[in-house]
Structures are given as structure tokens and as C-alpha cells.
Amino acid sequence: MTANRTLIRAWSRTQSRIGRRQAMPAILFGLASTALAIGQAWCIAVILAHALAWAFAGNKHVVPPPGWELVVLFGLLALMRAGLQIQQETRAAATASASRRRLRGEALAAVLAEGPSLLRRQHSGALTALLVDRIEALDGFFGRWIPAATLAMLSPGLVLLVVLVVQPRAALVLLLCGLAVPVSQAVFGIGAAVASRRQFMAMSRLQARFLDRIRGIATIVLAGRADDEADRLGIAADELRQRTMRVLRVAFLSSAALDCALAVALVVIALLDGRALLAGGSTVSWVGALLLPRSLFALLLVPEFFAPLRSFALAYQDRMQAAGAAEALDDLAPRDRAGQRLDAAQIPPQVSPPPVRTVAANGVSVAFEGVSFAWDAARGLALDDVSFRIPAQETMVLAGPSGSGKSTIIEMLLGFVSPDEGRITLNGADLASIVPEALSRMTSWIGQRPLLFAGSVRDNVLFARPDASDADLAAALRAAAMDEFVAQLPAGLDTVIGEGGYGLSGGQAQRVAIARAFLRNAPLLLLDEPTAHLDPVTEKEILDSLRRLAVGRTVLLASHSSAAHAFLGRRLDLAQGRIVRPPAYTQEASV
């Protein structure tokens, strides 16, 4: 817990420093607005004082009525102040928007850098809540809290300095009442931080549960558990409602404390100046007429003194929400196998070689040299001293039971995990030294269940290369044998499919993935159980397409299928993370 608080404070300080530089125009506009408010208060005080003195003085000719020039000046100051406030809000909104884009980009880059391995400790619903809701909630932190925190010191200080010159006793009262505001904010802020953190946890749990239930809606309906799951979602939603109301309750208490401080300041200042203003019953004396503008000026500046503090109090809840977001963002930091956060010094530096090192003209060769890796030390090694080599433009079939390490090898080649011992090379270059962009350009991957997005079939194929020409697209469709079933779709390539490929069969979805790989035309092809869950006829058709795709490419195929094991190339048998049989050509290859 102490470590988390230290990280949150460090994150808040860093973001506040960055945000304060960006919010400086908004802060300057706010300070200028306070200066104009002081001028407005002086105009009103003089107008009211002269009007009262002219109305109630014994000799009405001694104190002239107020001039219209003060009224005109007040109007001009009001217009100028309105313009400054508009500029302040506009600049604050622009600062918040830019900061959210920066943080969302950093968070998304961290998610993409870790890849699927991040899902082993983070639910996809929680990641969605972080990238959308929590970062969006930081709008108030950058747009309101940072300017308000700075103006809460500068603006009251400016008002206090002016009141000190005019009415020293009133300045002392304002100072004492103003100091009570941060104390009350600190007291209520502890409860607000806890309430806000629990609210975000409840929101993340609700989103994760809702996303899981939507994904498994077919299973839920077939099992007759729809009503039960609806009741549980209702309970989770009610928990979120209760925690949200607790946050609002603390916010109202904080606002009430500030209102009490403002009321006390008004009453005390009015009582202190009242005896000097009144003499001889209800008649304003000549001495009172001289002191009246200053007293009214001090009274009128009390709301202006507390206005920045009120904005500070309202924005204090934004800071508490930022604390919850900081914890979630910290979860994206790199971690070791035990889940402990890695410091910057513990993260190995990434060397970025020129892209020409990653792809040679004659293809890509792959080599594993004494590679060992463990997902969890308690479960033992997933790979134990694995060494093999795939020459360029050749194929290797990984064979072995589930848990033998086949998928781990593919995840390593995709760059999602790194070896604990040993190294992996592509064309002699260490995989750890290849920039992710270059590795992505040279790699195609087809898994058991290809990810298809809601949209047209055309868009799903072009996802591999959006700038592909119509001729390239048509060639990829023919090579993947997609043209056979696309012609039967209602709108052809423009047929809209649902999320996850809803509307296509498993074999059709796999053909879309193969067409993507043809269109991408990467020299390294990784196949992870590409024919799983397919019937024998469809499996044979898919393997025929994969054989055409493998021509001229370096291929690594992991599969349980006996038909896939007849794939042209070498075969490597694995068991419990070890090589049990050295690489040898498959039967089809020897023939």
C-alpha cells in the first residue's frame, strides 16, 4: 500500500508538472480575471457608498451623487472579464484534451508493447475501462484541478494583498478563514480518495462482468441462466450506484465546509466595520461616509477571495479520481514473472538496428539457441534448453501434446515474451534487438480462431494492408480460395459480418485470415493450430491453401492434427518443454 501511494504521488507530481506548463495560458487568464474582479468590486463599492452617503447624509450637497463614468467602467471591466473567462475555459479544455490524448497514447503503447501477455494479469474489460473511462475521467484533473490548484494560491493572495492595503483587519479575517479551507479539504479528501477508488473498482468489475456475459451470451441462454446473470449484473450496477453516491456525499460535505468559512468571514468583517460606519442611530455620519467605500470594498472581495478556493474544492474530487487512474496506469508497467513492478533500471534497453538487418533478400532464417522460459516458477519451465534452426524459406512442424511448449515458441517469435535464458535470432540478429515495427512487417500469424471485426468482409481482409490495390486484393482472395464462398454472400465482399466473424463459418473465417497473410506477404509465417475445430473436409481445403501460402516463406507450424503433420518440411517433437526428437524431415518431404 505504501509503495502504491508513493507511485501515485510521483505520478501526480509528474503529471502536474507537465500539465501546469500546458495550462499556463489558462492560469494567466484566470489571474487577470481576478484582477478585473477587484476593479469591479471597487467600482461597486464607490457607487454604493456615494449613493448611500448622498441619500442619508444631513447635507446632501456635501457628498455628490456617483458619476456615470464608474458605471461605464464597471461595464467595460465586466465585458473584459467575461472574455478572459471564455479564453480561460477554452485553453483549459484544450489542455485537458491534449493531455488525455498523450496519456491514452502512452497507455495504448504499453498495451501493444506487452501484447497478449498483459491479459494474463489484466481482464480485457478492465483494460477497456482504463483506456476509455479512466483516462477520460482525467479531463477534470488536467482541465480543472491543475489550473484551480495554482489559482487557489495566486488569486486569493492577490485579493488578500489588496484588502490588506485597504482594511488590514478584514485581511486578517480572510487569511484565517482561508486557511481553514485546505484543512477541511485534507480531512474530506481522505474519504474522497477512498470512495473514488472504490467507485472505479466497482465500475471495472461491472464492465468486466458485462463484457464476459456479452461474449458468452449464447452459452448463457442455452444453459438457461439468463435471468440469474441479469440479477448479478443488477447487483453489480447497484454497487456502482451506491459507491457513486458516496463520492457525491463527500463532495457535498467539502462544499459545505467552504460555505461555512465564507459565511464566517462575511459576518466577522461586517461586525468589525459596523461600529465605525454607524453613528447617531441609523444615520450615516460624515466619518462613516469616508470609511464606507473601503468597508464595502472589503465585503465585496470576500466572495472573490473564496471563488478560487471554491473551484479548488470542486476540482479536488478530480484529483481523487486521478489517484484511482494512476493505480490503473501503474498496472500497465512492465513486471517480472512474479508480478512485481520492474524499475526503469531493471528493464533491458532496446537497441534499434537498421531495418535492413531484419529482412534479407533470400528470406528469413530462425534459430533458437539454448532457450529456457517459465511462465510461473512454481509450475516449472515451459521451455527447457530448446535449440533448433529453420533455414530460410523452409518449414518446420512443431509436434507434441498440449503444454509441450509449441505456443510458447510462437509467442516468443511474435515478440510477446522473451527467453529467461538463451537467445532467438532472425537472420543472425538477436530478436531482442529488432524494433517491434520491423518484426511486425516481417511476420504473419494465423491462429486457431482468427480475430474478425464487425464490418464488411472487404475491410477485414484489407486490415492486413489497407493500401492494397484491387488487383492485389483479388489475387489474395484467389490464393486463399475465398472467391468460392464470397460469390455466394448477399453483397459479396461488401457483406457485413458481426463481431468475431459472426455470420461466417469457421472455415470461412480461417480463409479470411489466410487471405490477410497472402496480402501482407511477410517472409515469416507462424501457424498456431490453424485447422483446430474444423471438420476433415474443411481441414484439407485449408491445408491446401496454407501450402500455397508457405511457398517461398519460412514457416513454423504448431498443430496436433495428423494431416497437418504431413505438411512439407521438417518436424520437431516436444514434450514438457524439451526436444524429445531432433528435427527431421517429414514423411511427405522425404518422398
Side-chain angles (χ1 to χ4, degrees):
M1 181 63 70
T2 303
N4 285 342
R5 290 177 180 173
T6 302
L7 289 171
I8 291 172
R9 285 196 294 268
W11 183 89
S12 298
R13 286 195 298 269
T14 301
Q15 298 301 325
S16 296
R17 184 171 61 253
I18 297 173
R20 196 175 295 113
R21 289 198 300 266
Q22 296 176 334
M24 191 55 64
I27 294 172
L28 294 177
F29 282 126
L31 191 61
S33 177
T34 301
L36 293 182
I38 294 173
Q40 286 183 281
W42 177 252
C43 291
I44 296 176
V46 172
I47 291 172
L48 289 178
H50 281 244
L52 290 173
W54 183 77
F56 294 104
N59 185 357
K60 295 185 178 182
H61 297 288
V62 175
V63 182
W68 286 104
E69 58 273 7
L70 285 177
V71 177
V72 174
L73 179 60
F74 174 82
L76 290 176
L77 292 176
L79 290 176
M80 294 173 61
R81 189 184 182 192
L84 288 176
Q85 289 176 336
I86 292 174
Q87 288 295 321
Q88 180 187 2
E89 293 294 331
T90 302
R91 294 301 181 92
T95 298
S97 179
S99 300
R100 291 199 315 275
R101 285 197 303 271
R102 174 177 56 82
L103 281 178
R104 186 170 283 115
E106 293 175 356
L108 191 57
V111 171
L112 295 177
E114 287 209 46
S117 60
L118 181 63
L119 297 177
R120 278 180 260 276
R121 68 170 191 268
Q122 286 261 14
H123 192 280
S124 57
L127 289 175
T128 303
L130 169 62
L131 293 173
V132 179
D133 296 323
R134 291 204 174 190
I135 291 182
E136 197 66 27
L138 292 176
D139 178 84
F141 178 78
F142 292 102
R144 290 188 293 271
W145 162 255
I146 292 179
T150 305
L151 290 174
M153 295 183 291
L154 298 179
S155 295
L158 179 61
V159 173
L160 191 66
L161 182 62
V162 174
V163 175
L164 181 64
V165 175
V166 178
Q167 287 283 63
R169 291 180 301 178
L172 179 61
V173 173
L174 285 178
L175 178 62
L176 295 177
C177 292
L179 291 176
V181 175
V183 175
S184 65
Q185 292 302 308
V187 172
F188 292 117
I190 297 174
V194 175
S196 179
R197 191 176 300 114
R198 290 175 177 172
Q199 181 208 22
F200 271 123
M201 290 175 60
M203 181 184 298
S204 296
R205 284 196 295 266
L206 176 60
Q207 289 178 320
R209 176 178 287 273
F210 184 76
L211 183 60
D212 273 344
R213 274 45 182 184
I214 289 297
R215 286 173 173 171
I217 189 66
T219 303
I220 292 172
V221 172
L222 291 175
R225 301 297 302 275
D227 292 338
D228 294 339
E229 292 301 329
D231 292 340
R232 292 180 181 178
L233 283 173
I235 293 172
D238 188 64
E239 179 190 4
L240 177 61
R241 178 189 62 81
Q242 293 178 4
R243 296 194 184 280
T244 302
M245 294 307 297
R246 288 172 188 167
V247 174
L248 294 176
R249 189 184 309 150
V250 175
F252 287 138
L253 289 174
S254 175
S255 179
L258 189 142
D259 291 335
C260 288
L262 187 150
V264 169
L266 283 173
V267 171
V268 173
I269 292 175
L271 290 176
L272 288 176
D273 291 340
R275 287 176 297 178
L277 293 176
L278 298 176
S282 60
T283 304
V284 180
S285 65
W286 174 248
V287 176
L290 293 176
L291 296 178
L292 185 58
R294 296 186 177 187
S295 300
L296 286 175
F297 182 56
L299 282 174
L300 290 172
L301 285 182
V302 171
E304 293 298 333
F305 177 84
F306 283 96
L309 298 177
R310 181 182 297 279
S311 299
F312 172 80
L314 293 175
Y316 199 77
Q317 309 306 318
D318 296 316
R319 182 182 181 277
M320 296 302 100
Q321 290 184 339
E327 285 187 281
L329 288 169
D330 178 65
D331 291 338
L332 299 180
R335 298 179 184 272
D336 58 17
R337 301 282 180 259
Q340 300 297 320
R341 191 179 192 275
L342 294 176
D343 296 331
Q346 297 174 299
I347 302 174
Q350 294 290 324
V351 181
S352 301
V356 295
R357 290 189 59 199
T358 61
V359 182
N362 58 349
V364 177
S365 62
V366 178
F368 274 56
E369 302 174 4
V371 173
S372 296
F373 176 79
W375 293 105
D376 186 353
R379 295 164 51 191
L381 293 174
L383 294 179
D384 186 3
D385 193 25
V386 172
S387 298
F388 63 86
R389 183 175 182 275
I390 310 175
Q393 300 183 12
E394 291 198 14
T395 297
M396 176 171 284
V397 179
L398 297 179
S402 296
S404 60
K406 302 188 300 297
S407 295
T408 302
I409 290 175
I410 289 181
E411 289 207 34
M412 284 186 170
L413 287 173
L414 290 171
F416 295 144
V417 292
S418 301
D420 295 333
E421 296 180 6
R423 71 170 191 155
I424 304 170
T425 63
L426 300 182
N427 283 358
D430 196 321
L431 185 65
S433 69
I434 301 176
V435 291
E437 292 79 4
L439 182 61
S440 175
R441 286 196 302 269
M442 64 191 299
T443 307
S444 290
W445 171 82
I446 300 176
Q448 300 182 28
R449 301 181 185 274
L451 180 60
L452 301 183
F453 304 98
S456 68
V457 177
R458 183 192 303 274
D459 291 338
N460 273 276
V461 176
L462 288 175
F463 181 77
R465 187 155 62 93
D467 59 344
S469 64
D470 292 340
D472 291 339
L473 177 60
L477 295 178
R478 286 193 303 271
M482 270 190 67
D483 48 356
E484 299 177 3
F485 78 85
V486 167
Q488 301 174 3
L489 296 177
L493 277 177
D494 296 319
T495 301
V496 176
I497 59 176
E499 183 180 356
Y502 183 79
L504 297 181
S505 67
Q508 291 172 340
Q510 203 66 285
R511 290 189 185 281
V512 173
I514 295 172
R516 285 176 175 173
F518 271 111
L519 199 60
R520 188 170 183 80
N521 196 26
L524 177 61
L525 177 63
L526 305 177
L527 306 174
D528 189 6
E529 301 287 355
T531 59
H533 314 297
L534 299 179
D535 61 86
V537 175
T538 305
E539 180 184 36
K540 182 179 182 301
E541 294 174 351
I542 294 298
L543 287 175
D544 289 340
S545 297
L546 290 176
R547 287 189 180 93
R548 291 194 296 271
L549 178 61
V551 175
R553 292 179 173 84
T554 305
V555 182
L556 185 65
L557 167 64
S559 178
H560 292 96
S561 171
S562 58
H565 289 171
F567 209 86
L568 177 65
R570 303 185 182 194
R571 171 172 171 153
L572 181 69
D573 289 280
L574 298 170
Q576 297 181 351
R578 288 177 171 269
I579 297 177
V580 296
R581 186 181 303 169
Y585 281 100
T586 62
Q587 183 67 31
E588 181 177 339
S590 62
V591 175

